[in-house]
Coordinates of all heavy atoms in Angstrom, one line a residue:
L17 N 2.8 5.9 4.2 CA 3.3 6.0 2.8 C 3.9 7.3 2.4 O 4.9 7.4 1.8 CB 2.1 5.8 1.8 CG 1.8 4.4 1.3 CD1 0.6 4.4 0.3 CD2 3.0 3.8 0.6
S18 N 3.3 8.4 3.0 CA 3.9 9.7 2.7 C 5.3 9.9 3.4 O 6.2 10.5 2.8 CB 3.0 10.8 3.3 OG 3.5 12.1 3.2
I19 N 5.4 9.3 4.5 CA 6.7 9.4 5.2 C 7.8 8.6 4.5 O 8.9 9.0 4.3 CB 6.6 8.9 6.7 CG1 5.8 9.9 7.5 CG2 8.0 8.6 7.3 CD1 5.4 9.4 8.9
L20 N 7.4 7.4 4.0 CA 8.3 6.6 3.3 C 8.7 7.2 2.0 O 9.9 7.2 1.6 CB 7.8 5.2 2.9 CG 7.7 4.2 4.1 CD1 6.9 3.0 3.7 CD2 9.0 3.8 4.6
R21 N 7.8 7.9 1.3 CA 8.0 8.6 0.1 C 9.0 9.8 0.3 O 9.9 10.0 -0.5 CB 6.8 9.1 -0.6 CG 6.9 9.7 -1.9 CD 5.7 10.2 -2.5 NE 4.5 9.3 -2.4 CZ 3.5 9.5 -1.7 NH1 3.4 10.6 -0.9 NH2 2.5 8.6 -1.6
S22 N 8.8 10.5 1.4 CA 9.6 11.7 1.6 C 11.1 11.2 2.0 O 12.0 11.9 1.7 CB 9.0 12.6 2.7 OG 9.0 11.9 4.0
R23 N 11.2 10.1 2.7 CA 12.5 9.6 3.1 C 13.3 9.2 1.8 O 14.4 9.4 1.7 CB 12.4 8.3 4.0 CG 12.1 8.7 5.4 CD 12.0 7.5 6.3 NE 11.7 7.8 7.6 CZ 11.5 6.9 8.6 NH1 11.6 5.6 8.3 NH2 11.1 7.2 9.8
Y24 N 12.5 8.5 0.9 CA 13.2 8.1 -0.4 C 13.6 9.4 -1.2 O 14.7 9.4 -1.7 CB 12.2 7.3 -1.2 CG 12.8 6.9 -2.6 CD1 13.9 6.1 -2.7 CD2 12.3 7.5 -3.7 CE1 14.4 5.8 -4.0 CE2 12.8 7.2 -4.9 CZ 13.9 6.4 -5.1 OH 14.4 6.1 -6.3
E25 N 12.7 10.4 -1.2 CA 13.1 11.6 -2.0 C 14.3 12.3 -1.3 O 15.1 12.8 -2.0 CB 11.9 12.5 -2.1 CG 10.8 12.0 -3.0 CD 9.5 12.8 -2.9 OE1 9.4 13.7 -2.0 OE2 8.6 12.5 -3.7
D26 N 14.3 12.4 0.0 CA 15.4 13.0 0.7 C 16.7 12.2 0.4 O 17.8 12.8 0.2 CB 15.2 13.0 2.2 CG 14.1 14.0 2.6 OD1 13.7 14.9 1.7 OD2 13.6 13.9 3.7
C27 N 16.7 10.9 0.4 CA 17.8 10.1 0.1 C 18.3 10.4 -1.3 O 19.5 10.5 -1.6 CB 17.5 8.6 0.3 SG 18.8 7.5 -0.1
M28 N 17.4 10.5 -2.2 CA 17.7 10.8 -3.6 C 18.5 12.1 -3.8 O 19.5 12.2 -4.5 CB 16.5 10.8 -4.5 CG 15.8 9.5 -4.7 SD 16.6 8.5 -5.9 CE 16.2 9.3 -7.4
M29 N 18.1 13.1 -3.0 CA 18.7 14.4 -3.1 C 20.0 14.4 -2.4 O 21.0 15.0 -2.9 CB 17.8 15.5 -2.4 CG 16.5 15.7 -3.2 SD 16.7 16.3 -4.8 CE 16.7 18.0 -4.5
Y30 N 20.1 13.7 -1.3 CA 21.3 13.8 -0.4 C 22.5 12.9 -1.0 O 23.6 13.3 -1.0 CB 21.0 13.3 1.0 CG 22.2 13.4 1.9 CD1 22.6 14.6 2.4 CD2 22.8 12.2 2.4 CE1 23.7 14.7 3.2 CE2 23.9 12.3 3.2 CZ 24.3 13.5 3.7 OH 25.4 13.6 4.5
E31 N 22.1 11.7 -1.6 CA 23.1 10.8 -2.0 C 23.4 10.9 -3.5 O 23.7 9.9 -4.2 CB 22.7 9.3 -1.7 CG 22.4 9.1 -0.2 CD 23.7 9.0 0.6 OE1 24.8 8.9 0.0 OE2 23.7 9.2 1.8
R32 N 23.4 12.0 -4.1 CA 23.3 12.2 -5.5 C 24.2 11.3 -6.3 O 23.8 10.4 -6.8 CB 23.5 13.7 -5.9 CG 22.5 14.3 -6.9 CD 21.7 13.4 -7.6 NE 20.3 13.8 -7.6 CZ 19.4 13.3 -8.4 NH1 19.7 12.4 -9.2 NH2 18.2 13.6 -8.3
H35 N 22.8 7.5 -5.9 CA 21.5 7.4 -5.3 C 20.8 6.1 -5.7 O 20.0 5.6 -5.0 CB 20.6 8.6 -5.6 CG 20.4 8.8 -7.0 ND1 21.3 9.4 -7.9 CD2 19.3 8.4 -7.8 CE1 20.8 9.4 -9.1 NE2 19.6 8.8 -9.1
I38 N 22.3 3.3 -3.2 CA 22.2 3.6 -1.8 C 20.7 3.6 -1.4 O 20.4 3.1 -0.3 CB 22.9 4.8 -1.4 CG1 24.5 4.6 -1.7 CG2 22.7 5.3 0.0 CD1 25.3 5.9 -1.5
C39 N 19.9 4.2 -2.2 CA 18.5 4.4 -1.9 C 17.6 3.2 -2.3 O 16.4 3.3 -2.1 CB 18.0 5.7 -2.5 SG 18.9 7.2 -1.9
K40 N 18.1 2.2 -2.9 CA 17.3 1.1 -3.4 C 16.5 0.4 -2.2 O 15.3 0.1 -2.5 CB 18.2 0.1 -4.1 CG 17.3 -1.0 -4.8 CD 18.0 -1.8 -5.8 CE 17.1 -2.8 -6.4 NZ 17.3 -2.9 -7.8
P41 N 17.1 0.2 -1.0 CA 16.3 -0.4 0.0 C 15.1 0.4 0.4 O 14.0 -0.1 0.7 CB 17.2 -0.6 1.2 CG 18.6 -0.6 0.6 CD 18.5 0.3 -0.6
L42 N 15.2 1.7 0.4 CA 14.1 2.6 0.8 C 13.0 2.5 -0.4 O 11.8 2.5 -0.1 CB 14.6 4.1 0.9 CG 15.3 4.4 2.1 CD1 15.9 5.8 2.1 CD2 14.4 4.2 3.3
W43 N 13.5 2.5 -1.6 CA 12.5 2.3 -2.7 C 11.8 1.1 -2.7 O 10.5 1.0 -2.9 CB 13.3 2.4 -4.0 CG 12.5 2.2 -5.2 CD1 12.5 1.1 -6.1 CD2 11.5 3.0 -5.8 NE1 11.6 1.2 -7.1 CE2 10.9 2.4 -6.9 CE3 11.0 4.3 -5.4 CZ2 9.9 3.0 -7.7 CZ3 10.0 4.8 -6.2 CH2 9.5 4.2 -7.3
Y46 N 9.2 1.3 0.1 CA 8.1 2.1 -0.3 C 7.2 1.4 -1.3 O 6.0 1.5 -1.2 CB 8.6 3.4 -1.0 CG 7.5 4.2 -1.6 CD1 6.6 4.9 -0.8 CD2 7.4 4.3 -3.0 CE1 5.5 5.6 -1.4 CE2 6.4 5.0 -3.6 CZ 5.5 5.7 -2.8 OH 4.4 6.4 -3.3

Side-chain angles (χ1 to χ4, degrees):
L17 265 181
S18 176
I19 291 169
L20 288 173
R21 186 180 316 110
S22 67
R23 284 183 183 175
Y24 174 70
E25 290 170 354
D26 291 344
C27 180
M28 291 282 288
M29 296 296 271
Y30 183 74
E31 301 289 344
R32 227 347 131 168
H35 63 279
I38 295 173
C39 301
K40 187 167 182 141
L42 287 173
W43 175 250
Y46 171 71

